[in-house]
Each structure stands twice: as structure tokens, then as C-alpha cells.
Amino acid sequence: MGEDAWNGPELRAGTLERLLTLVGQMIEKTALPRPHAPARHLLVFDPYDPPGTDLADTVLVGVGVDPSSAAAEDLLVRAGGDRVTAVVLRGTGDRAREEHLRRVAERVGTTLLLRASWAEWHLVISTLRAAMEGPAADGGNVPLGDLGGLARQIARRVEGAVTIEDPDSRVLAHHAESADLDRIRLWTVLTGTVPEERRRAMDRDGFFKQLWSSPQVLHRLADGEVPERMAVAVQAGGMRLGSIWVAAITGKPLQKRAIGVLQAAAEAAVAHLLYHHAHHDARNALLLGAARAVLDGPGSGALLAGHSGLPADARCAVLAVGAPGRADEERRVLLEHGVRMHQRRPGDGYLVLPVERGVLVLVCGLAKDPAAARTQVADYGDSLAGYLSERLRTRVLIGLGPVQARLDDAARSRRAADLALGGLLFVREGPENGCATVEQVADAVALRHVIETVGELPLPVRTPVSRLAAAPAQDGHHPLDLLSAYLRHGQRKGPAADALGIPRATFDRRFTKLLETAGLDADSAHAMLLARIQLLVREFRAEHG
């Protein structure tokens, strides 16, 4: 093998065989009559394309084709006549139907590929395009997908510390010929991700924007504790696959030839990263599927243990993590990254699962003694809430689920943790550390349930609160703000006025007018209870949609 050989076992460039090797388990090979057929073009099938379109050597993706319909068979027959290399359809889960389609495909001489149930079409299409447009593997001494071996090869040639990272700056592989690393590089290698403050600084300086918009190697000189470094993006077919970073080892500047080495390595890394992501996505999908089944219940703890390595027969618990306000994808990603960065975890293993409100953390292998296990969970929740609140610069709340004897019972812990988090998010109060069990916030949990139920009920009459809702604001305060403050402060005008920053005399005058406008009797316990419930419903809808 030549010194510049980077890739693994030789694959014929532009062939179906190479394509399928790179995309991994997101596509099932149902019929493969011509594995060495050319695969040079990718096209999403459109039934309205005019006849006579040249489809030779094309991989045709049938996004809108129902594999259970006659249209699927018609497409396979047409593909055989047009010398289409392969047709990709959605899997049916019906083995008899898939076997019938396989026979049709083999009869007409075209390959039939079925999309795995866990893979979305956009991911399949992006991966196929990247695999077809990326550089071909040319043989060499780094097995396909061996990112550790690739990092080792690069580090030896550039004489620096190398990391291969995914698009979110998580370390996939690293190698350095010397242990004399700077603080940032050491942290990155030990934790598996770039320090958050460093990521923010590079984002603020436009470094990431420049990295992803250029195929060139970026070179930055040393700046304070930040060492000299080079970086290059690894992309193909418009898909971001990752990046390769080289940092100078203390006292040893990077050589100019490192730029050429990195450029060549970035081209070679396309196939390796495609292979890695495709196989990792498949494993991750199986793991997440097993985890969701266990946490939603009923699921197999033994199956999850097999996919994750978690102990199936040891004590476990679930923590539900969230923050006030609407949860979005960015917040979930930040919470997930933060949980993974936090090192003080109890037990023998953990999983992080994104959910609508935030993330769930399953901790396993807790102490055999139930009381000791409960203490482990409480201490972890306290530590994690403080760490995440500081990291995200907002108050993070955590519902603590009860400890269970085995993984099969984790759904019970998850349900209680969800309820506890819901109670904390509803009242935004509770223990100072932001953690609580469902028993500790039982009143808030019950009240939230009442509010959610009442909010779905139509009222047969117009109430004082509904009349006030139509009134205009005055000096930045809506009448409902005054009423809400009054009720929150035990129906005392003075503290309510102080909370809103309104002079007490002014508040008293406006509140008197408010009662007259709404027809609200402040001395009626029933009227005040109804007003409080309606205000809580409005606030809940405004925050949670």
C-alpha cells in the first residue's frame, strides 16, 4: 500500500455494491441481481415525468409509491425496461408482499431496496446522494469505518493531536503521538465534546460558518491558551458528515505540509464517516426503540440491556429534566449535551432520551439497598439540576422517579418523574434545588390536572374574567394582570401593587374600577375561585399552547 492510501478494502467506484456498503442498515437488500451495476445518478420518482426520460444507471427513490399497491409492481417493471440500477421503496413489514416484490424485481433484472422503518426519507436520500457524490474508496490500510485508525494515520503525518468530530462537535475518534496536550484538547478528549464556552466563542467569531462554507483547510495561529490548530470540513452531496481537527502539541508548531495531509484526509474521510453514521444510526435507532418501549411500557428490559449493556436485574430510576417555557429542539439538544457532559452519575450505566418536555435520564445499576439507591438518585438530581442551570443560564427543573428493582419496571419510575416535572413546571416553585418527587409536589400535580381538564370544558356563560380579557391595557398593565396579582398575593392589594410596581393608591383605584367593569364580587369565595381557575387556564395555555 502507498503512503497516501487512506481507505479500506477496495470497492468499485460508482457501483451499487459500494453504495450499499456505505449506507449500511438503513436500506434492506431484497433483490440484488446486479451488485456491480453502475450507480451514477439519484432521482426521486415522479409519476408525471415524461416517457423517454433516460434512467439508465439511476437509483430511483419511490417516496410516494405505496409498496402494497399495484403501482409498486408497475414501477419495478418500468425500471427494468429503463435499465434502472435500483428502486428504493418503503418497507411494508409484510414478508409475503415483500417476497412478491422481490420476485418481480429479479424477473425484470433490477435491484429492489427497502427503506428501514427507523430511517426517514430525507436521511436516506441525503445519505445516498453523499455516497454517490463523495470520493471513491481506493484501497489502503485503514478498514472502512475505522475512524480511530484514520485519526492515527493523520496524527502521525501531521505530528499533532487529531480529533475527528461529528457536525455537533462530538468526538468520534482521536489520536495524539504525545500526551503533552493543552487544556482544551485534553478536556475535549476526556469528555468527548468541545467545551461549551469554546464552541460559543468559535460560533461568535464566525469560525463554524467559515468551516462549513469552505472545502479548504482553515489555519489559526496560537492565541493565549488556545493552541495553533487546523480544521477541515468533511462533506459530500450537501451533507455535513463531520470535521477533522489538528492541534499543535506544546512546543511543536504544525508544519506547512499538514495542510495537504488534511485536505487528502478529508476526501478519504467521506466514505469512513458515511459508513460510521449509517451503522451508528441503525444501532442508535434499535437502542432508542428498545428504550422507548421500556420507558413507555410495557417493554423488554432484557432487550434494552442487550442493545445498551445496562444491567437488566439491578435497581434503576428515571429523572425527567426540563425548563420553564416552551421546549424546542435547540433546548432539548442543550439539555441532552449537558446531561452527557455531567460526570457525577450514580450506578453502572445511563441512557438519555429526548422527549417533548426535555429529556429523560435512565440511571441503572444503583445500590442494592433501596434507601441507598434513593439517596443516589436524590443526590444526582441535585447535582445535575445545579450543573444544567449554570450551563444553560436558566433554571432547570428535575422530576425524580422512584427507584425500581429491575429494568422491566422503569416505566413506573418514568410516569412518576413526568408527573413531578409537570408539577414543578406548573408552579415554578418547589424545593430550592429544583428537584422533587411526585409526593413532594402532589398539590401542584393535582392542580395541573384540574387546570388541564377544566381548560377543555366550554362554559355556558360569559364570566367576569372573559369580560376583562376584552378590556384595554393601561400604562403597560392589563386588568387581568391586576386581578392575577391580587389573587396570587392572598387577595391583598398592597403586596399585589408592589409586585407590579404600581403605587398602592393607583392600584386601589384601578382595581375598584376593574371590579365594576367585570361585575366581579371580591367578597364572594366562589367568584374568586372561578376567577383564579380561569386565570390559571389562560396562563397555562399561553405557556404550553
Side-chain angles (χ1 to χ4, degrees), residues 80-368:
D82 289 341
R83 294 182 299 125
V84 169
T85 295
V87 173
V88 186
L89 298 175
R90 171 174 52 84
T92 66
D94 181 343
R95 287 299 172 191
R97 176 61 180 170
E98 291 177 359
E99 174 61 21
H100 173 70
L101 291 175
R102 182 190 66 77
R103 289 196 296 268
V104 172
E106 289 189 339
R107 186 179 75 245
V108 299
T110 194
T111 290
L112 172 62
L113 307 173
L114 297 178
R115 189 201 79 190
S117 59
W118 56 266
E120 299 291 341
W121 275 122
H122 70 86
L123 176 62
V124 171
I125 293 170
S126 297
T127 305
L128 285 170
R129 179 174 290 114
M132 294 171 76
E133 296 183 7
D138 59 2
N141 52 9
V142 180
L144 190 60
D146 182 6
L147 296 178
L150 182 62
R152 217 165 20 250
Q153 290 272 10
I154 301 169
R156 287 170 181 167
R157 299 180 192 189
V158 300
E159 300 181 21
V162 171
T163 56
I164 300 176
E165 302 173 10
D166 72 7
D168 293 319
S169 298
R170 289 180 294 229
V171 177
L172 303 176
H174 63 87
H175 189 80
E177 292 292 291
S178 168
D180 192 8
L181 304 179
D182 64 276
R183 182 188 66 84
I184 295 175
R185 182 61 40 160
L186 190 59
W187 172 274
T188 300
V189 169
L190 290 176
T191 63
T193 189
V194 177
E196 187 65 28
E197 66 275 10
R198 184 72 202 124
R199 274 184 53 83
R200 286 188 185 135
M202 288 190 290
D203 198 26
R204 193 168 52 246
D205 295 342
F207 188 88
F208 285 122
K209 182 178 180 180
Q210 188 178 2
L211 176 69
W212 295 115
S213 62
S214 170
Q216 304 302 316
V217 174
L218 302 186
H219 186 194
R220 294 292 182 270
L221 298 178
D223 181 15
E225 67 171 344
V226 180
E228 179 189 11
R229 64 203 184 281
M230 294 181 183
V232 63
V234 181
Q235 306 181 88
M239 186 179 187
R240 294 180 180 179
L241 299 172
S243 56
I244 304 174
W245 297 70
V246 176
I249 294 172
T250 305
K252 195 171 186 178
L254 296 174
Q255 304 298 311
K256 286 185 178 180
R257 62 186 175 84
I259 293 177
V261 172
L262 270 187
Q263 202 77 63
E267 293 185 5
V270 168
H272 292 288
L273 284 171
L274 272 171
Y275 184 89
H276 168 83
H277 288 315
H279 287 75
H280 177 269
D281 287 345
R283 290 193 301 269
N284 199 44
L286 292 172
L287 173 59
L288 289 180
R292 289 192 187 281
V294 166
L295 295 181
D296 292 344
S300 168
L303 180 62
L304 176 56
H307 285 307
S308 65
L310 297 174
D313 297 320
R315 296 192 184 279
C316 63
V318 176
L319 294 82
V321 184
R326 291 181 182 271
D328 54 21
E329 184 62 24
E330 181 181 4
R331 174 172 288 182
R332 282 189 286 271
V333 169
L334 290 173
L335 287 171
E336 183 179 355
H337 285 185
V339 171
R340 295 187 189 284
M341 290 284 290
H342 187 58
Q343 300 298 310
R344 294 179 56 189
R345 287 184 291 269
D348 295 332
Y350 80 106
L351 277 178
V352 186
L353 195 68
V355 289
E356 184 178 354
R357 283 182 185 163
V359 297
L360 298 175
V361 185
L362 170 65
V363 288
C364 301
L366 299 174
K368 293 182 179 180

Side-chain angles (χ1 to χ4, degrees), residues 340-402:
R340 295 187 189 284
M341 290 284 290
H342 187 58
Q343 300 298 310
R344 294 179 56 189
R345 287 184 291 269
D348 295 332
Y350 80 106
L351 277 178
V352 186
L353 195 68
V355 289
E356 184 178 354
R357 283 182 185 163
V359 297
L360 298 175
V361 185
L362 170 65
V363 288
C364 301
L366 299 174
K368 293 182 179 180
D369 177 64
R374 288 193 294 271
T375 298
Q376 283 182 308
V377 173
D379 290 346
Y380 175 54
D382 179 52
S383 173
L384 182 62
Y387 174 80
L388 292 175
S389 295
E390 182 178 354
R391 180 183 173 88
L392 272 65
R393 300 175 185 174
T394 188
R395 191 171 192 225
V396 172
L397 303 171
I398 298 181
L400 306 176

